[in-house]
Amino acid sequence: MEHIKIFTQLIASELHLSEHAVSNTLKLLDEGCTIPFISRYRKERTGGLDEVQITAISDRAEHLAEIQKRKETIQKTIGEQDKLTPELQKRIQDCWELTTLEDIYLPYKPKRRTRAQVAREQGLEPLARLLLMQREQKPMQAAQRYVQGDVKDVATALKGAQDIIAEQMSEDERSRNLVRSAFRREAFIVSKAVKGKKDTDEAQKYSDYFDWEEPLKRCSSHRLLAMRRGESEGFLRISLTIDDDEAVRRLKRTIPPAPFPGGGTCRKLLEEAVEDGYKRLLLPSIETEFANLSKERADEEAIRVFAENLRQLLLSAPLGQKRVMGIDPGFRTGCKVVCLDAQGNLLHHEAIFPHPPVNHRMQASIHVQQMIQDYRIEAIAIGNGTASRETKDFVEDCLKLPSPSGEGTGVRLFVVSEDGASVYSASKVAREEFPDEDVTVRGAVSIGRRLMDPLAELVKIDPKSIGVGQYQHDVDQGKLKHSLDQVVESCVNLVGVNLNTASQHLLTYVSGLGPVLAQNIVNYRKENGAFTSRAQLKKVPRLGPAAYQQCAGFLRIPDAKNPLDNSAVHPESYHVVEQMAKDRQCSVGDLIRNQETRAQINLQQYVTDEVGLPTLTDIMKELEKPGRDPREQIEAFEFDPTVQAIEDLHEGMELPGIVTNIANFGAFVDIGVHHDGLVHVSQLANHYVSDPTQVVHLHQHVRVKVIGVDLRRQRISLSMKGLK
């Protein structure tokens, strides 16, 4: 309990939040409440904290819990050595900074047999203390007393004593902080090409870093991760450097002055020990620490960017429940075509070959037109991979021809990102959905469904395979998964889920559910038919009161008898809306339909100890547009028809494009030439841009100017300055 109080104080101070809000949030999390639920339905208790703040509280509490666990281990280890004094124990208990905690523990930490340990076993620790006190006028003569056994001579004795001093200095908190401070202020990261590999084709992607150095504190996340990847692949050698001579001088200044002139020889021996301890022990330790720290910070930034990109992708505009044709384009193997009903069920599939080398264009055109008529197709989704532009041109020509019935089709055409579709098509989820179809059919279905509802389809795919991250395979995989899972959960619950059509995979991410309960809901649906009310959820096996409380508000039932079942109003607040309707002498449905009636409601009249103004305000917003989708409306897009390949580009061209990925250093834009161009952060706007996501978002339609084309490296440089 004492720990919770300390956690609350530390987190509130660090995040600049009230202790009351932090304390209540921690209690809610401890009770098993999810972050989306707390953010949406417990605003009175948290003071209106949003998901970002609640996530920060949760993450920080987990970190402090890990530190507390580490402190207990450290105290136990030191206690077993009979060295845990009350003063040392208090220092450990009061410490909540991991680096400082490890510094305190370092002198007591069990370690392999070091040179200093060997010297101690040879009985040289008293000699080391003599040198440290600098009171011995003739250290050589004093060392003679320790020449015995494995200590063959005076030089060996003095060297052993120096080893002990070097290790003590390297484990001393003041010395470590001194070197740590130097690294923090002035460390450089240096990258060099590995000899013999510089001229290989594989190494060329790292050519910018063959001879590179910059201050570590200015090294951006993407550059550090690029260098570290080059190092792991064997093309680069990375090191961190500071002014070693200056660092040694600073450490020598920490040696107390000799009490009398005769201490000169002792001082020289001490300075030698300090220099040895720095180069052999302290420098490698702090360099490793800062290498890990810089990598950790780079990981955090890369994960943050990836998470934001994923959020934007998952919240991409949906077409909605329309009858869709999905096309996975290809040349030699043809285009795989699927026809889906408005619920995304597969009705038909076949392959067409409109492109070389087969070139059955007329036959393919007839088949496409026939499928559009037979399955009453309303929209067509074409994957953006190989042969995408050619397939889009072919389908556009098909749509211009009169249909077999003689009527215009009115079909809308969209190009859809197919990143991860192949991963999905070979996954367990896809095999369970379509056990009798091959991977090409599953991939085309995924493309079609992505147009209808990107969120519902993309949750089936490992986020790392969706193609919106940078160096996602190089960062801490545990932290990446934790962050991305939180994003998926947040997006699913923000949009809400149709209880009667959602897949088991989508239901898994609903607040309070999970794989087992999600499958139980699907099974209940199969056995009993569609849900007609949220209250029916209580009949689902193993879905108890706690799970019902967490999930009910995020599940929607269109056309339910109670209109609130298709809204974000939580069942625990239904009685409030019913009382509002009763006071206005109308039904809940009338209250939703009539804005004038709602305008007459005085919210203060309904405030209680359990229901405050934040909840009441949310209820009124929801009654205005029950179950509204927060996502934008989808828009069609056209590439410049005169540009088909990178060779068609020249400087100065202005082209339409789609933002496909965002990194700290800029945005990647698809301009229809099979190679995305880069709008560097300096070219995003006429003003300084610190964060590209403040200027662009994923799938945004933009205009760009070509400012550079590197055919050898297949790189395209673009600018958005002055363009709209």
Side-chain angles (χ1 to χ4, degrees):
M1 197 67 189
E2 183 64 28
H3 293 154
I4 298 299
K5 184 177 179 181
I6 295 172
F7 286 9
T8 298
Q9 293 170 345
L10 290 169
I11 295 170
S13 174
E14 182 180 327
L15 301 180
H16 307 292
L17 299 171
S18 76
E19 289 189 17
H20 176 74
V22 172
S23 176
N24 280 344
T25 301
L26 290 175
K27 287 175 185 174
L28 287 165
L29 289 167
D30 192 51
E31 291 166 7
C33 295
T34 67
I35 291 172
F37 176 82
I38 297 170
S39 171
R40 183 69 178 79
Y41 297 114
R42 290 296 179 264
K43 291 181 178 177
E44 284 83 356
R45 289 185 64 180
T46 68
L49 297 183
D50 60 27
E51 280 195 23
V52 175
Q53 293 168 312
I54 296 169
T55 299
I57 292 172
S58 175
D59 290 347
R60 187 59 183 154
E62 287 180 14
H63 179 66
L64 291 174
E66 288 174 6
I67 292 177
Q68 177 59 34
K69 194 173 179 181
R70 179 64 176 153
K71 285 160 70 169
E72 290 168 2
T73 300
I74 288 172
Q75 289 181 86
K76 181 181 177 183
T77 304
I78 299 175
E80 289 171 352
Q81 301 172 22
D82 292 327
K83 295 179 180 178
L84 187 62
T85 64
E87 294 77 19
L88 180 57
Q89 186 173 24
K90 188 174 188 313
R91 278 204 71 198
I92 293 170
Q93 290 174 345
D94 291 345
C95 180
W96 293 99
E97 210 283 311
L98 202 52
T99 301
T100 304
L101 185 63
E102 294 298 338
D103 277 354
I104 295 171
Y105 179 44
L106 191 56
Y108 309 95
K109 188 175 184 178
K111 53 179 75 73
R112 59 184 174 79
R113 200 158 176 261
T114 63
R115 281 163 47 174
Q117 184 61 34
V118 172
R120 289 190 184 96
E121 291 169 3
Q122 293 171 344
L124 295 173
E125 194 157 21
L127 178 59
R129 284 198 293 269
L130 278 174
L131 296 182
L132 282 168
M133 289 187 292
Q134 302 182 71
R135 291 178 181 170
E136 186 60 60
Q137 298 190 44
K138 297 178 180 179
M140 307 293 183
Q141 186 174 327
Q144 185 66 48
R145 299 197 297 269
Y146 297 90
V147 176
Q148 56 184 340
D150 292 334
V151 183
K152 303 298 184 185
D153 49 35
V154 168
T156 303
L158 290 172
K159 190 68 186 73
Q162 286 180 307
D163 286 341
I164 294 171
I165 293 167
E167 185 174 274
Q168 287 178 348
M169 185 277 299
S170 72
E171 295 178 348
D172 176 67
E173 283 185 67
R174 183 183 174 191
S175 299
R176 296 181 69 81
N177 283 328
L178 215 160
V179 178
R180 197 176 276 132
S181 178
F183 265 83
R184 196 175 292 117
R185 290 193 317 269
E186 59 202 49
F188 273 74
I189 183 167
V190 180
S191 172
K192 301 287 184 185
V194 172
K195 289 181 180 179
K197 295 190 176 182
K198 185 174 182 179
D199 297 324
T200 61
D201 290 338
E202 295 88 349
Q204 293 313 302
K205 57 186 174 182
Y206 300 112
S207 59
D208 291 342
Y209 304 109
F210 284 170
D211 188 14
W212 175 273
E213 74 171 54
E214 68 174 313
L216 179 62
K217 62 184 178 184
R218 293 183 191 167
C219 184
S220 64
S221 165
H222 64 271
R223 285 202 299 275
L224 190 138
L225 290 174
M227 286 186 267
R228 291 298 182 194
R229 179 185 287 181
E231 181 181 44
S232 67
E233 292 180 2
F235 299 118
L236 302 176
R237 186 170 289 108
I238 313 299
S239 62
L240 302 182
T241 65
I242 60 172
D243 186 335
D244 291 335
D245 292 339
E246 179 57 30
V248 170
R249 279 194 292 272
R250 289 171 183 162
L251 288 170
K252 286 178 179 178
R253 291 191 203 113
T254 65
I255 301 173
F260 48 80
T265 306
C266 283
R267 185 171 188 86
K268 182 181 178 184
L269 292 169
L270 283 175
E271 289 182 347
E272 289 175 357
V274 166
E275 187 165 357
D276 170 59
Y278 169 77
K279 292 180 178 177
R280 183 168 55 85
L281 301 171
L282 186 49
L283 177 61
S285 172
I286 301 299
E287 182 179 355
T288 300
E289 179 183 310
F290 270 77
N292 293 338
L293 183 62
S294 60
K295 172 66 165 57
E296 187 178 312
R297 288 174 178 167
D299 281 3
E300 288 175 0
E301 183 60 17
I303 290 170
R304 184 194 68 78
V305 172
F306 193 168
E308 179 56 34
N309 284 351
L310 178 63
R311 179 180 296 278
Q312 292 182 20
L313 186 66
L314 293 176
L315 296 179
S316 296
L319 180 66
Q321 293 190 327
K322 305 287 185 183
R323 292 180 294 278
V324 168
M325 175 184 289
I327 304 179
D328 187 357
F331 288 114
R332 183 181 57 81
T333 56
C335 300
K336 184 63 70 175
V337 183
V338 298
C339 297
L340 310 174
D341 66 16
Q343 285 71 47
N345 298 310
L346 177 62
L347 303 175
H348 173 77
H349 68 82
E350 65 179 82
I352 58 174
F353 298 85
H355 310 307
V358 180
N359 230 355
H360 290 169
R361 192 174 181 89
M362 181 58 71
Q363 182 183 5
S365 179
I366 293 170
H367 279 241
V368 168
Q369 286 186 301
Q370 194 63 52
M371 282 185 279
I372 290 173
Q373 180 175 339
D374 290 349
Y375 299 100
R376 296 176 295 143
I377 297 300
E378 299 171 272
I380 298 175
I382 298 174
N384 68 343
T386 303
S388 176
R389 285 291 299 273
E390 293 79 3
T391 303
K392 183 173 181 290
D393 292 343
F394 159 72
V395 174
E396 284 177 338
D397 289 342
C398 291
L399 296 178
K400 290 174 185 175
L401 297 172
S403 67
S405 64
E407 300 176 0
T409 63
V411 175
R412 300 172 69 190
L413 183 59
F414 300 89
V415 175
V416 177
S417 169
E418 61 180 52
D419 283 334
S422 59
V423 174
Y424 160 76
S425 63
S427 69
K428 181 174 180 287
V429 177
R431 290 196 301 273
E432 289 173 350
E433 283 193 282
F434 303 104
D436 301 324
E437 308 298 347
D438 65 21
V439 291
T440 60
V441 173
R442 297 171 192 159
V445 170
S446 180
I447 289 170
R449 286 177 172 177
R450 287 184 191 200
L451 176 62
M452 299 167 70
D453 190 342
L455 178 61
E457 193 62 21
L458 291 173
V459 294
K460 302 174 185 176
I461 304 170
D462 181 351
K464 288 189 295 184
S465 303
I466 297 177
V468 294
Q470 287 289 310
Y471 305 104
Q472 59 262 40
H473 299 289
D474 301 303
V475 302
D476 185 301
Q477 296 301 293
K479 290 181 179 178
L480 177 64
K481 185 180 186 306
H482 175 69
S483 177
L484 298 186
D485 283 349
Q486 284 185 332
V487 170
V488 176
E489 182 183 37
S490 171
C491 292
V492 168
N493 290 287
L494 174 67
V495 172
V497 171
N498 186 326
L499 182 55
N500 286 322
T501 61
S503 67
Q504 183 259 344
H505 211 77
L506 184 60
L507 287 167
T508 295
Y509 288 99
V510 173
S511 169
L513 297 182
V516 174
L517 289 180
Q519 187 60 57
N520 289 354
I521 288 174
V522 172
N523 294 342
Y524 183 90
R525 210 164 58 193
K526 287 178 181 176
E527 294 168 9
N528 301 280
F531 285 87
T532 57
S533 72
R534 281 172 168 166
Q536 271 183 277
L537 283 164
K538 297 176 182 178
K539 298 179 181 179
V540 173
R542 300 180 65 178
L543 202 157
Y548 177 76
Q549 180 195 56
Q550 295 297 307
C551 75
F554 302 104
L555 296 169
R556 309 278 187 269
I557 306 176
D559 305 319
K561 182 178 179 181
N562 186 341
L564 295 178
D565 281 347
N566 192 38
S567 74
V569 177
H570 198 282
E572 66 187 11
S573 297
Y574 281 9
H575 70 280
V576 178
V577 181
E578 290 163 358
Q579 186 62 49
M580 289 177 176
K582 183 178 179 181
D583 292 345
R584 302 266 76 76
Q585 298 181 342
C586 67
S587 69
V588 170
D590 293 334
L591 195 64
I592 291 172
R593 289 186 289 270
N594 196 320
Q595 193 274 333
E596 291 182 4
T597 302
R598 293 197 306 275
Q600 297 170 9
I601 295 174
N602 176 13
L603 294 185
Q604 290 289 349
Q605 181 182 340
Y606 301 96
V607 173
T608 65
D609 291 341
E610 292 78 28
V611 182
L613 276 177
T615 295
L616 292 169
T617 303
D618 282 348
I619 288 173
M620 295 307 293
K621 286 180 182 176
E622 193 60 27
L623 293 179
E624 186 178 337
K625 292 182 179 178
R628 67 187 182 281
D629 194 319
R631 295 173 289 184
E632 296 177 354
Q633 295 295 310
I634 194 168
E635 296 178 6
F637 176 82
E638 294 288 339
F639 288 117
D640 188 317
T642 65
V643 175
Q644 299 286 332
I646 191 171
E647 290 78 13
D648 297 333
L649 300 176
H650 60 79
E651 290 186 20
M653 293 181 80
E654 290 188 14
L655 302 167
I658 299 176
V659 178
T660 58
N661 203 354
I662 302 172
N664 270 357
F665 51 86
F668 291 93
V669 177
D670 183 359
I671 54 176
V673 296
H674 306 297
H675 297 279
D676 288 356
L678 173 64
V679 183
H680 189 266
V681 64
S682 63
Q683 295 293 328
L684 281 171
N686 288 324
H687 56 82
Y688 174 74
V689 176
S690 60
D691 181 359
T693 59
Q694 295 175 349
V695 180
V696 290
H697 57 81
L698 277 182
H699 295 176
Q700 180 180 345
H701 299 173
V702 296
R703 285 198 66 79
V704 294
K705 179 187 288 186
V706 179
I707 58 174
V709 181
D710 183 342
L711 291 176
R712 180 171 179 264
R713 295 200 288 179
Q714 300 285 285
R715 289 188 178 180
I716 305 165
S717 299
L718 305 171
S719 174
M720 285 174 50
K721 284 187 173 181
L723 301 176
K724 293 185 179 180

